[in-house]
């Protein structure tokens, strides 16, 4: 008799529910809910481009809308477990009953009481101060997150709230990553102290490690602000992997969506980590989840030696798979950059641009871009970097720029691969998943050419949701380990994008120029002579055009 | 009884005729002819973005169409003289009867036999070789043209033709700037040896100077290619200013356009030089002719000392006004860059973008651009430079980029002013003319703010054509000197664009960053630390937005 697991994937603009057959990963039913608040689910401030928030009501509405939809396709008695993944670090203030402060009438229209979405960069000053303080106090906290604390992360955001909106900070009993809060809501947890916090969010974003006894010490936090030290007592002491339960589905919640009360709900994690598991993450396999941004995940056996890799945003034991060190890198904007070009600039749509850009050869446009329109997450870990395009002429077309933006993200991807390998983590296979990997053979082929490596694509079009369902299956008892569930439920597509040698040869000439710009604008190192950049691009352009 | 002069202004996309009352410069009638060949009059090669040619038939058709139109508004007997200006350096091969090779059936569809338009950059290899050879042979030829010979200029283009299309080169009896050829056509000159060549084109583009006896020596030319030395004999030994006659209007030409045969025609010159005169060029006044590109003109009394100013494209005695050293600088793309953004990228039109961009404050976008989409003419004199934009975010709008492109050209303008003043040529007044000065208060205000100087606008909307008419009036005997004609026929508009202190203060912070990029990408000097650029732009952005 078939058994099913429900996976929920909370993205930047929408939530997806996926009902999966646990025996082989077959996707039975799916449903998407577009958040109704803000601009496609993101609350913005026209006066501050760094601000990005979400209304938690969208999470609740999205759950009921999508879960009830997919529950109708199966016998509720056959659903064995539920998993939840979300964006992150996306922390949210809650009151002492675990209710989002956003639902408090006092803060109804105050974005500081909302969820602070991963791509909110308002706290860059605090992030820099955390980095500086940790270094000054010789604390080990940053060794696992690339040596630089980010404005996208837990403590920066909370501290910024304290600095700019103390009323919200004081009203918050605790702060919870939505990856932890949504499972706690499903299970009816009415006290933040009872939330089962995930190691994924804690280890990657909150400087949590068993190595130093959990969250950073009160002494360290007090040196930032004494009120942060006081908050520590109302956070958590333990964080666990997602093969453990967050709780059981609460009767009130179950009744409203046609599911059986008491179904085990897995501890939540970030979308990319579940997507990595559902794409076959194992030692040697880099999984790239490519959507608005990317998350790049690898695992490394916990019992093998591993250096702290500078510029990687996370190195956390158990964060992807139990018994493995999860390595997380990422690109701050990929699909977001392509969408920006199409929607903010009002040029032709993705399809038309792709059709034209696909006909171009590598190097033919003479353009080179830096993929930093939303800062750089890996390997520079600096949100205060911006996009750059060089090589513009009076004949440059929109399709050429579009392609240059794609190529820039491909070079960003290669920079991550190179960094991993420099520190002894061999990348033997790259599996891509997420919207862009799924929908754009054009982008995948450029990634293969620019990285000069085959690019595989995960079989499921909904890997994050599938990963959620996979952990639902594990906590529901269908499998003993995530690896067993992976073997049964996941795989890659037949079509592999192989690098084309002629294109790869041109990219091998362009990439050093990308790195020259990368190091010049992204580091404090002396840039040396830059006068070659424009001329080299023109020479490459000429050489390519001669062969057309 | 009223007397009139006819001015003809041959631009990149069209020719304009202007009939002017010589007593006060009143514009009686005007007519524009859009060239019918190529892409808005410019023949392009999709495989080589450096190529830009024109079909001389357009010049002839344009003359008859526009001259006959404006001739109808006056009594032909009252037209005292004709002046002609054109783009340049735009040389053209002609046969022994002074017929364009393009009209030879053998070369009908061969763009190498056409006019090599000013913005043709196919000869960049030859340009570099000319620079290198002149330096190696310690020749003085480059001292008057910024130290670097350009691919936009006479000898580079002819030599490139020799190298890539010897059949055309061999068929050419002589090469003529269209500034010289069009007057010669009007006067029925049937032998290239009889053309009166203008000092403006010769001195600025062909390394002609009385100081070394005219054109470069045969020895020098032979060291480039012996066939160039042979060509020298079929070029010219003397070049003269435009207060001299090119000849008299030929009966056959006069009959076809309703003008009186025998009217004096002035020696031709480049559009910008005539525009400068019609904008009131005098010592201390910089005239910027702003159209697809700019030409920046000043004059300096011939009897006062003047250093050779590095990076200026021309320093030629008598080229603008007799008895004055003409100083020419320029920006390779201004209107062309704005048009590129609107038409190649397919974003909103100029009006909509201007309306939005006008509402922005300096620094508000966080963007900074280099105005090099068509290379850099002054002060770097390097066509192998390209456009660059930095500071892009996911919120960057088309209007912000549009404004950044305008600001980049303003910074380019400031760089020219600074270079002049560094070498002792004080700029006490800036008068702008040309299409952009005429049509865009938005651009003029940014120029005033970015340069922190008042920007005046020439009274006439057709200064180049007016300048042609002015020299027509001089050769027609209405005035003894161009200065007398200036006093009577020219002036500036009442509206002066004054710098706004708050905006100027922001631009004073942005300009050093522009210069940092300028020197890093445009010179061979060590760029030093570039890591400040993106962060400084973000800091300026924050500071400006806080005051919104």
């Amino acid at each position: 008799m078939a058994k099913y697991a429900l996976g929920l994937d909370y993205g930047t603009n929408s939530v997806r529910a996926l009902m999966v057959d646990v025996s082989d990963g077959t996707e039975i039913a799916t449903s998407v809910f577009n958040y109704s608040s803000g601009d496609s689910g993101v609350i913005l401030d026209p006066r501050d481009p760094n601000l990005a928030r979400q209304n938690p009501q969208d999470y609740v509405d999205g759950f009921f809308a999508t879960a009830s939809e997919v529950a109708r396709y199966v016998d509720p008695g056959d659903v064995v477990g539920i998993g939840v993944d979300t964006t992150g670090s996306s922390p949210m203030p809650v009151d002492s009953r675990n209710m989002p402060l956003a639902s408090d009438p006092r803060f109804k229209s105050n974005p500081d009481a909302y969820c602070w979405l991963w791509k909110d960069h308002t706290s860059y000053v605090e992030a820099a101060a955390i980095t500086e303080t940790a270094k000054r106090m010789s604390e080990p906290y940053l060794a696992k997150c690339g040596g630089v604390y980010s404005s996208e992360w837990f403590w920066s955001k909370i501290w910024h709230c304290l600095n700019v909106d103390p009323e919200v900070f004081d009203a918050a009993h605790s702060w919870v990553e939505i990856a932890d809060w949504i499972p706690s809501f499903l299970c009816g947890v009415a006290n933040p102290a009872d939330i089962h916090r995930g190691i994924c969010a804690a280890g990657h974003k909150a400087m949590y490690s068993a190595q130093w006894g959990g969250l950073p010490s009160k002494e360290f936090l007090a040196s930032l602000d004494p009120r942060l030290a006081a908050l520590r007592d109302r956070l958590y002491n333990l964080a666990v992997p997602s093969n453990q339960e967050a709780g059981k589905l609460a009767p009130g919640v179950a009744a409203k969506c046609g599911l059986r009360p008491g179904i085990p709900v897995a501890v939540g994690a970030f979308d990319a980590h579940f997507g990595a598991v559902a794409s076959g993450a194992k030692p040697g396999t880099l999984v790239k989840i490519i959507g608005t941004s990317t998350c790049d995940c690898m695992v490394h056996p916990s019992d093998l030696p591993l250096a702290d890799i500078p510029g990687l945003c996370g190195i956390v034991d158990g964060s992807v798979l139990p018994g493995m060190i999860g390595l997380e890198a990422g690109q701050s904007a990929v699909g977001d950059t392509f969408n920006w070009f199409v929607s903010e600039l009002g040029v032709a749509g993705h399809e038309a641009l792709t059709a034209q850009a696909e006909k171009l050869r590598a190097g033919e446009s003479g353009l080179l871009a830096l993929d930093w329109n939303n800062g750089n997450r890996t390997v520079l870990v600096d949100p205060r970097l911006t996009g750059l395009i060089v090589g513009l002429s009076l004949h440059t077309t929109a399709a050429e720029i579009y392609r240059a933006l794609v190529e820039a993200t491909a070079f960003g991807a290669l920079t991550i691969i190179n960094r991993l390998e420099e520190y002894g983590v061999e990348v033997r296979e790259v599996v891509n998943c997420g919207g862009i990997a799924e929908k754009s053979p054009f982008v995948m082929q450029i990634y293969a050419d620019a990285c000069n490596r085959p690019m595989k694509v995960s079989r499921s079009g909904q890997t994050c949701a599938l990963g959620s369902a996979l952990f639902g299956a594990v906590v529901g008892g269908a499998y003993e380990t995530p690896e067993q569930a992976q073997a049964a439920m996941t795989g890659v597509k037949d079509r592999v994008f192989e690098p084309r040698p002629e294109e790869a040869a041109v990219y091998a000439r362009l990439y050093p120029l990308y790195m020259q710009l990368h190091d010049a604008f992204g580091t404090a190192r002396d840039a040396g002579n830059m006068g070659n950049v424009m001329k080299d691009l023109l020479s490459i352009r000429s050489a390519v055009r001669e062969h057309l």
Side-chain angles (χ1 to χ4, degrees), chain A:
Chain A
M1 208 180 72
K3 295 287 182 192
Y4 305 99
L6 172 61
L8 290 152
D9 168 40
Y10 282 85
T12 299
N13 311 112
S14 62
V15 54
R16 172 184 299 276
L18 186 69
M19 191 65 83
V20 167
D21 184 326
V22 299
S23 69
D24 59 0
T26 302
E27 298 168 8
I28 305 295
T30 187
S31 171
V32 172
F33 175 86
N34 294 310
Y35 304 145
S36 62
S37 305
D39 183 0
S40 301
V42 182
I43 287 122
L44 304 170
D45 180 347
R47 298 197 310 159
D48 184 356
N50 285 318
L51 188 142
R53 306 286 159 83
Q54 281 187 331
N55 184 347
Q57 190 61 45
D58 286 336
Y59 309 143
V60 173
D61 294 345
F63 172 76
F64 287 118
T66 58
S68 9
E69 172 67 20
V70 299
R72 294 195 288 119
Y73 289 82
V74 296
D75 181 336
D78 294 333
V79 179
V80 299
I82 298 176
V84 176
D85 70 71
T86 71
T87 67
S89 172
S90 299
M92 181 171 79
V94 295
D95 67 15
S96 60
R97 296 170 304 125
N98 198 28
M99 291 292 287
L101 278 197
S103 62
D104 184 324
R106 286 183 296 164
F107 303 119
K108 217 175 164 61
S109 14
N110 183 345
D112 295 334
Y114 289 32
C115 168
W116 293 49
L117 190 62
W118 64 274
K119 64 177 169 179
D120 187 291
H121 289 141
T122 49
S123 62
Y124 60 88
V125 171
E126 288 81 1
I130 291 172
T131 301
E132 194 270 325
T133 306
K135 282 184 182 160
R136 180 167 43 80
M137 297 176 67
S138 303
E139 295 288 4
Y141 306 139
L142 300 179
K144 309 295 179 193
C145 60
V148 181
Y149 201 72
S150 166
S151 60
E152 293 189 359
W153 297 348
F154 192 74
W155 290 108
S156 305
K157 285 170 168 167
I158 297 172
W159 191 15
H160 187 65
C161 179
L162 189 165
N163 287 329
V164 297
D165 201 338
E167 201 185 339
V168 167
F169 181 85
D170 290 341
H173 179 78
S174 190
W175 286 74
V176 194
E177 289 281 349
I178 57 170
D180 295 329
W181 184 80
I182 292 167
S184 80
F185 164 78
L186 299 186
C187 299
V189 174
N191 181 345
D194 297 334
I195 300 171
H196 291 199
R197 310 267 186 156
I199 181 68
C200 168
H204 283 288
K205 311 298 180 187
M207 298 188 280
Y208 172 101
S209 173
Q211 209 173 299
W212 49 81
L215 292 171
S217 71
K218 289 182 88 160
E219 185 197 359
F220 173 76
L221 294 173
S223 75
L224 304 179
D225 191 296
R227 289 167 290 181
L228 286 178
L231 173 67
R232 188 187 193 278
D233 293 333
R234 308 193 306 275
L235 292 170
Y236 53 91
N237 294 312
L238 182 69
V240 296
S242 295
N243 59 344
Q244 298 195 26
E245 267 186 32
K248 312 278 192 199
L249 192 65
V253 174
K256 277 183 73 175
C257 61
L259 287 168
R260 178 174 55 87
I263 304 174
V265 177
V267 163
F270 292 151
D271 39 18
H273 289 216
F274 279 4
V277 173
S279 298
K282 60 180 181 293
T285 298
L286 171 67
V287 178
K288 288 185 75 67
I289 297 92
I290 314 179
T292 52
S293 62
T294 78
C295 189
D296 297 47
C297 290
M298 286 200 79
V299 294
H300 186 81
S302 303
D303 51 1
L304 293 184
L306 178 69
D308 289 331
I309 306 175
L312 242 64
C313 20
I315 302 174
V316 176
D317 205 355
S319 72
V320 176
L321 290 169
M324 299 274 177
I325 296 170
L327 304 172
E328 186 194 322
Q331 299 177 251
S332 303
V334 176
D336 264 352
T337 299
F338 312 154
N339 287 335
W340 158 75
F341 187 66
V342 167
S343 52
E344 284 290 349
L345 295 197
V347 294
H350 289 292
E351 274 185 41
L353 288 170
T354 295
Q356 292 167 53
E358 225 161 14
K359 292 190 193 121
L360 298 168
R361 294 283 309 277
E364 180 181 345
S365 70
L367 296 176
L368 183 62
L370 287 174
D371 51 325
W372 299 349
N373 282 43
N374 194 29
N376 176 296
R377 198 184 297 157
T378 307
V379 301
L380 298 169
V381 198
D382 188 347
R384 283 174 66 72
L385 295 174
T386 54
L388 178 148
I389 302 176
V390 62
L392 297 163
S393 78
L394 295 174
H395 302 286
T396 298
T397 66
E400 287 176 334
I401 295 178
Y402 188 74
R403 184 179 169 113
L405 295 172
V406 171
E407 291 169 341
T409 66
F411 290 145
L414 178 56
T415 305
I416 292 172
I417 292 172
N418 288 345
R419 176 60 57 95
L420 287 164
E421 297 212 317
E422 279 160 27
Y423 283 81
V425 180
E426 198 191 339
V427 178
R428 292 191 292 273
E429 176 188 57
V430 183
V431 179
N432 300 274
C433 63
I436 300 231
E438 187 69 16
K439 286 179 220 154
S440 182
F442 162 64
V443 173
M444 282 298 93
Q445 185 61 55
I446 287 184
Y447 277 41
D449 295 337
C451 298
N452 202 15
R453 289 164 181 265
M455 290 288 150
K456 298 179 182 177
V457 178
S458 185
R459 193 174 62 205
S460 168
Q462 329 292 348
T463 36
C464 298
L466 176 62
S468 290
L470 184 151
F471 280 98
V474 171
V475 294
Y479 299 98
E480 274 186 30
T481 66
E483 284 84 350
Q484 289 170 3
Q486 276 182 306
M489 296 171 73
T490 72
V492 297
K493 293 188 185 188
D494 291 339
R495 179 175 181 184
V496 174
F497 295 86
E498 296 289 346
R500 296 171 294 185
E502 280 194 17
E503 296 292 282
V506 176
Y507 286 126
R509 293 180 67 189
L510 287 170
Y511 182 67
L513 295 172
Y514 171 89
M515 285 309 293
Q516 192 181 351
L517 294 176
H518 178 281
D519 291 351
F521 286 95
T523 75
R525 291 201 289 281
D526 194 285
N529 178 3
M530 302 284 290
N532 66 300
V533 174
M534 292 176 178
K535 290 172 177 56
D536 288 356
L537 288 171
L538 290 174
S539 299
I540 293 168
R541 183 181 86 173
S542 299
V544 170
R545 290 189 182 196
E546 268 168 29
H547 291 92
L548 287 183

